[in-house]
Amino acid sequence: MGFRWRFISGSIVTLVSGVWAVMPVYADLQQLDDADLAGISGQSGITIDLDLEVGAKQLSYFEDGNGIHLEDFRIGTADAAQGAAGHVIKIDVEDDASLNLDFLVDNRRIEFQNVTLDGVAGRGMGGMFFDHSLDGYLRISSGGAISSAGTTFDTAFEVTNGRLGYRTNGNEVFLDDITMSVEALGITLDEVGGGLEFKVPRLTGSYEVGAIRYSNNPSNHGNSVDVDSGRLLPSYGSLSGDYDLSTQLNIVGGGRDGTEGFRLDNDTVINSANFIYSDDGNSLRFRDITGGYRFNDLRVDVTQDWQGRQALGLTLGSLEGDLAIGGIEMGSDGDSIGQVNLDFVFEDHVYNGQAYSNALYLQGGGHADAGPQGLRLAAEWSLRDADLAYTEDGNRVIFSGFQSWGRGDVTVNVTRDEVINGTEFFDGLRIGFEDLKAGYRINGLRVGDEDAPLQGGTELLLALGFYPSYEFDLDGHVTLGPGGAEGEGLTINSDIRIRNGKAAIIAGPYDEGNGEQAQKGLWISELDYDAHVRDMTVDVTEDGLAIIKGEAWSTMDVGNLRVGDKQSGKSFGRFVLQKYETGSSMTIKPGGAGAVCAGGMGSDPAACSGSGGVWEERGDEGVTIALKQIFAKAVSERRKNAFTWETNRRTSGGASVNGTGTQLVLNDIYTSDGGDFDGDGVDDNTFGIQTELSVDVYQTRVVKKSDGPDAQGVVGSRGDEKIMDASAAAGYRYVSSPSETQLKDRPLGFAVQARSRFKELSIGNIDLVHPVGGAQTAVYGVKMQNVDIKANLTATPIP
């Protein structure tokens, strides 16, 4: 291995100095010859025109006797595996004694092939590469923010022809065609309390990523085009955005384990930002982002995780922040679904009697069958509190008191479509889960503001697979592949297994203001869930965000459906739901229900009022979710739609034994269009069950159900309307005949307008199964046709 020294640009002085410090065993020097010296000139300053190629077999960092190593490190041209990158550096000393470096870097690659840890043979974290051209300046002057002993930096640069990639076992995912503009003025560096303090009063910039590409051909390394076919590599889509930040970073020595390592503390303010994801010309836009975050006592160590495995450990004291997104826009017209605000706190906390903290331990290898390179993240997290607020047309609903916790292994590999040792892999970025024990819960909804009373309503989101509370053991993977239904986008393949699940269909608050308590509700308990998805595509379209399943099958085995406590509540028995879908879809579109006749029928205010309804103009924002579920005919015992209810099971050791009770079985459930309309001899199945949910936050009519005082002591008569009144002790009062002014103070609700319809739904047979007598068919077939159901639901506080 050789080390060819020409000269170095000021932008990489620190990096190359680090290379120099650890590689004397491997390196040799080559003196500058006359041709090299001819590239250096000086008039008012010095101009250096040079080529640079740096290589090191290994770069190592040691801490408390443990080492982490970058393997096959290289700086050189991006065009080939070997060769130098061109640099032009102009060095001037200004009148105020500051040093000014103007730099121009042409087509440079910085890369390493693998990251390894001491004591872990044959396993690595994979490699990274960064291709770029760079044009900018760096100005260094004496004096920091605190004392004259510090340093001030001003810099601005533009990146072009950029690629940033992650590579494992010859497969890679990379950001392609990166352009970036950055300016940071007045950066100060001071020594504070035995450490370093960096202050960046303002960091501004913009960026574009032309494509996010995937390659499963090792020969394509860093190329946008497949070297064998000549075609562009498939893309996940493109990114762009801009930002204006202020930040402060403090670094001191000392890790959490041993005497070595280092600690980081940071405070960042997001003054403004925008983020855009584009897919074949259609965009999902996050506009007018503001907020900030603060992390405290982040320690970095080369250490061991809780299982004694060597790792690069990142352990966190706390992280808190807030984020406001002024508008989420999608669709060809750029319509907004509304605004989102998020407040969060990550810190140590106890859930269900067990303590959790926040830590991430990086290890090499990834999934055991995917090859020697990949990432294994031993992760533990504790999201103690988060509030997610959604505002549309000026009305707000807050998902209050969200908590999440977990511990286990997450693996990351870039894989190709193949089967190794019985494990099926797919093209894309594979995120795996191994023995991950996790959970989340939400305290409830608040409508209007943070001080509004807690209420239910999260059960309205069950159609989207969101439970108010969920605990589970998780294994499996989700693989994100390139390309959507057409062109750019995402293709998702996944296999998920959930064990020991406890999910709430309806749940009360876990904290009503007097401390945390066990939640009561209706629980899916002793849950075993096995789910598989093939070729599901995600695209941004002219209508919104479209998700289409190629093929999906699952079995949800609910050991007990309990009421009250999730572990000891009375049980309805065991339920088993099998699903097999082909071509099912979900489209998320901007805009809610619009004009609605709630509680009546009519297409205008007069007709609605005449039918006893209330005409509501719910505004232009909101979100509409269109679901299409196509239940396919059974093709096997695993791939079919069926429902089983089992009761009167035998018990053993206090636990019910599945399969020993009496069962009601609805077998081979499927949808149909009601005929063979395309002439292929098989009934068509393209319509499925179509459900449209339009979600708004809107004022709604709430009436008292009985005479006398309610739970808050507010007196009213049956039929009186609830009117919000800040001057009242409870924040509201009851009015028998509200005026037009008072009607504007009706309580806000989480409003959902729903419509569900299908052409034909069939059940092959309905069986009664006795543990001794076996199965007897009670009904040999059921068909339901042309069903169309409409509903208006609103969740509001009920005292």
Side-chain angles (χ1 to χ4, degrees):
M1 203 286 306
F3 176 75
R4 186 180 184 191
W5 174 262
R6 291 291 187 98
F7 215 90
I8 55 176
S9 159
S11 62
I12 57 168
V13 169
T14 303
L15 179 58
V16 177
S17 297
V19 175
W20 184 262
V22 298
M23 59 178 295
V25 175
Y26 308 105
D28 59 73
L29 300 180
Q30 298 181 13
Q31 69 179 18
L32 297 173
D33 55 26
D34 291 341
D36 296 323
L37 292 171
I40 302 177
S41 62
Q43 293 180 10
S44 60
I46 299 176
T47 298
I48 304 172
D49 190 349
L50 55 95
D51 295 326
L52 171 69
E53 185 177 12
V54 176
K57 185 66 177 176
Q58 186 179 84
L59 295 181
S60 299
Y61 168 74
F62 293 93
E63 178 214 304
D64 293 319
N66 301 310
I68 184 170
H69 316 283
L70 300 184
E71 308 285 355
D72 298 317
F73 177 82
R74 172 180 173 266
I75 300 176
T77 181
D79 289 333
Q82 294 182 338
H87 293 66
V88 177
I89 305 104
K90 297 180 180 180
I91 306 174
D92 289 288
V93 178
E94 305 291 344
D95 293 340
D96 60 359
S98 62
L99 177 65
N100 190 77
L101 302 174
D102 290 328
F103 48 85
L104 180 65
V105 179
D106 183 35
N107 206 29
R108 180 171 64 186
R109 171 172 292 177
I110 302 173
E111 71 174 329
F112 52 86
Q113 297 295 329
N114 205 2
V115 181
T116 59
L117 292 159
D118 280 345
V120 185
R123 311 293 285 181
M125 299 182 191
M128 296 192 71
F129 64 93
F130 179 34
D131 299 343
H132 57 283
S133 295
L134 196 62
D135 186 0
Y137 73 87
L138 173 65
R139 185 174 185 269
I140 306 173
S141 55
S142 60
I146 297 176
S147 72
S148 59
T151 307
T152 296
F153 304 88
D154 298 299
T155 187
F157 58 87
E158 293 199 7
V159 175
T160 55
N161 302 319
R163 295 186 187 92
L164 177 63
Y166 174 60
R167 196 169 196 242
T168 68
N169 309 304
N171 310 307
E172 61 189 41
V173 170
F174 62 96
L175 308 182
D176 191 23
D177 191 20
I178 302 172
T179 59
M180 183 184 303
S181 177
V182 178
E183 181 180 72
L185 307 180
I187 304 172
T188 57
L189 171 62
D190 292 276
E191 182 180 352
V192 178
L196 299 177
E197 181 178 276
F198 291 88
K199 286 187 176 180
V200 185
R202 189 178 185 193
L203 172 64
T204 61
S206 61
Y207 59 90
E208 291 186 8
V209 178
I212 307 170
R213 301 198 184 278
Y214 164 81
S215 170
N216 59 13
N217 183 350
S219 301
N220 287 336
H221 182 33
N223 289 317
S224 306
V225 176
D226 183 76
V227 296
D228 294 333
S229 67
R231 293 192 294 267
L232 278 171
L233 294 173
S235 170
Y236 294 85
S238 60
L239 307 173
S240 62
D242 58 78
Y243 53 87
D244 183 339
L245 313 175
S246 303
T247 187
Q248 176 179 315
L249 176 67
N250 291 78
I251 306 174
V252 296
R256 207 170 299 278
D257 297 326
T259 59
E260 298 179 327
F262 55 94
R263 168 180 172 167
L264 304 174
D265 297 276
N266 177 262
D267 189 346
T268 295
V269 176
I270 304 172
N271 302 311
S272 66
N274 295 283
F275 175 81
I276 301 173
Y277 167 74
S278 296
D279 170 4
D280 293 315
N282 299 305
S283 296
L284 174 63
R285 298 168 292 277
F286 297 83
R287 299 289 195 190
D288 303 325
I289 303 170
T290 58
Y293 60 86
R294 296 152 294 284
F295 62 76
N296 173 61
D297 195 16
L298 172 62
R299 303 293 181 105
V300 182
D301 300 89
V302 183
T303 183
Q304 296 180 340
D305 70 357
W306 56 80
Q307 297 185 41
R309 299 173 294 186
Q310 287 295 115
L312 177 65
L314 292 85
T315 54
L316 180 66
S318 64
L319 168 64
E320 60 179 318
D322 59 276
L323 185 70
I325 303 175
I328 302 177
E329 302 171 357
M330 62 179 71
S332 58
D333 296 329
D335 295 329
S336 173
I337 68 172
Q339 300 81 48
V340 171
N341 295 76
L342 174 65
D343 298 287
F344 57 89
V345 178
F346 286 88
E347 63 182 13
D348 297 355
H349 194 61
V350 176
Y351 308 90
N352 300 323
Q354 186 170 355
Y356 288 84
S357 61
N358 291 283
L360 193 65
Y361 296 90
L362 281 67
Q363 305 160 34
H367 189 277
D369 294 332
Q373 291 185 328
L375 270 176
R376 178 172 292 271
L377 311 176
E380 179 179 355
W381 71 92
S382 170
L383 176 58
R384 187 184 63 80
D385 187 42
D387 287 348
L388 177 65
Y390 169 60
T391 305
E392 56 96 1
D393 291 312
N395 301 317
R396 171 177 288 197
V397 61
I398 302 170
F399 296 84
S400 181
F402 182 82
Q403 292 183 329
S404 178
W405 61 93
R407 183 185 296 119
D409 281 7
V410 178
T411 61
V412 181
N413 295 88
V414 187
T415 58
R416 64 173 64 95
D417 192 0
E418 58 186 337
V419 177
I420 305 175
N421 297 330
T423 302
E424 186 176 13
F425 295 98
F426 303 90
D427 285 345
L429 182 67
R430 184 186 191 275
I431 303 171
F433 311 99
E434 297 183 7
D435 197 24
L436 187 68
K437 301 179 185 299
Y440 71 82
R441 61 190 180 188
I442 188 170
N443 208 28
L445 294 181
R446 298 184 191 272
V447 180
D449 56 49
E450 293 82 356
D451 298 324
L454 279 171
Q455 64 176 79
T458 54
E459 58 273 9
L460 297 177
L461 300 180
L462 288 172
L464 305 180
F466 179 85
Y467 298 99
S469 178
Y470 202 1
E471 299 170 31
F472 50 84
D473 297 349
L474 174 64
D475 293 281
H477 78 95
V478 175
T479 301
L480 307 176
E486 293 183 5
E488 296 180 324
L490 292 175
T491 294
I492 298 176
N493 291 280
S494 72
D495 299 284
I496 294 295
R497 173 73 184 277
I498 287 176
R499 295 168 287 109
N500 303 319
K502 300 177 183 67
I505 298 176
I506 301 173
Y510 64 79
D511 188 345
E512 295 183 292
N514 299 314
E516 294 186 5
Q517 61 187 6
Q519 286 180 284
K520 303 295 183 181
L522 179 63
W523 297 91
I524 296 172
S525 188
E526 291 90 56
L527 170 65
D528 195 328
Y529 181 52
D530 186 53
H532 309 268
V533 174
R534 295 292 180 267
D535 298 324
M536 181 171 77
T537 59
V538 181
D539 293 273
V540 182
T541 68
E542 291 184 352
D543 294 327
L545 187 66
I547 303 170
I548 303 173
K549 296 179 183 178
E551 183 181 29
W553 67 99
S554 64
T555 298
M556 176 184 285
D557 192 331
V558 180
N560 287 284
L561 179 64
R562 298 187 183 277
V563 176
D565 185 81
K566 60 189 172 186
Q567 299 193 63
S568 60
K570 296 293 184 180
S571 173
F572 284 95
R574 176 194 180 206
F575 294 84
V576 180
L577 178 64
Q578 291 179 266
K579 294 177 68 175
Y580 177 48
E581 302 174 67
T582 56
S584 294
S585 64
M586 177 173 69
T587 302
I588 302 173
K589 301 181 287 187
V596 175
C597 181
M601 300 290 293
S603 57
D604 57 62
C608 178
S609 178
S611 68
V614 177
W615 186 258
E616 298 178 348
E617 293 282 357
R618 294 184 178 174
D620 298 323
E621 294 184 325
V623 60
T624 294
I625 301 168
L627 303 170
K628 179 194 287 189
Q629 295 175 285
I630 299 178
F631 296 139
K633 285 188 175 182
V635 297
S636 69
E637 280 302 307
R638 293 185 65 201
R639 288 177 167 89
K640 69 176 183 178
N641 296 285
F643 175 77
T644 301
W645 178 23
E646 182 180 7
T647 61
N648 299 315
R649 291 168 290 173
R650 293 202 312 266
T651 60
S652 176
S656 299
V657 180
N658 292 339
T660 63
T662 303
Q663 299 178 5
L664 172 67
V665 181
L666 281 66
N667 198 28
D668 195 15
I669 305 167
Y670 59 91
T671 55
S672 170
D673 293 352
D676 175 20
F677 302 109
D678 58 8
D680 64 355
V682 179
D683 282 358
D684 297 344
N685 192 5
T686 60
F687 192 86
I689 300 176
Q690 296 190 15
T691 302
E692 192 166 273
L693 305 171
S694 296
V695 181
D696 295 275
V697 183
Y698 192 73
Q699 291 175 312
T700 190
R701 182 172 181 259
V702 177
V703 298
K704 202 168 184 306
K705 301 301 182 184
S706 61
D707 294 335
D710 62 19
Q712 303 297 322
V714 181
V715 177
S717 301
R718 176 183 173 87
D720 287 355
E721 271 207 54
K722 183 178 182 179
I723 300 298
M724 307 308 293
D725 184 351
S727 64
Y732 66 91
R733 55 196 176 92
Y734 293 109
V735 179
S736 58
S737 299
S739 65
E740 288 297 323
T741 300
Q742 290 172 330
L743 290 177
K744 295 178 181 179
D745 291 324
R746 280 173 167 165
L748 285 173
F750 188 41
V752 177
Q753 184 184 53
R755 182 185 184 187
S756 188
R757 53 203 172 112
F758 57 83
K759 292 183 177 180
E760 183 173 281
L761 179 65
S762 301
I763 303 173
N765 54 281
I766 301 176
D767 293 342
L768 295 174
V769 183
H770 192 272
V772 177
Q776 297 290 328
T777 299
V779 180
Y780 280 93
V782 176
K783 288 188 182 293
M784 293 176 283
Q785 295 180 328
N786 300 321
V787 172
D788 191 344
I789 302 173
K790 299 179 181 179
N792 269 298
L793 306 173
T794 304
T796 57
I798 300 178

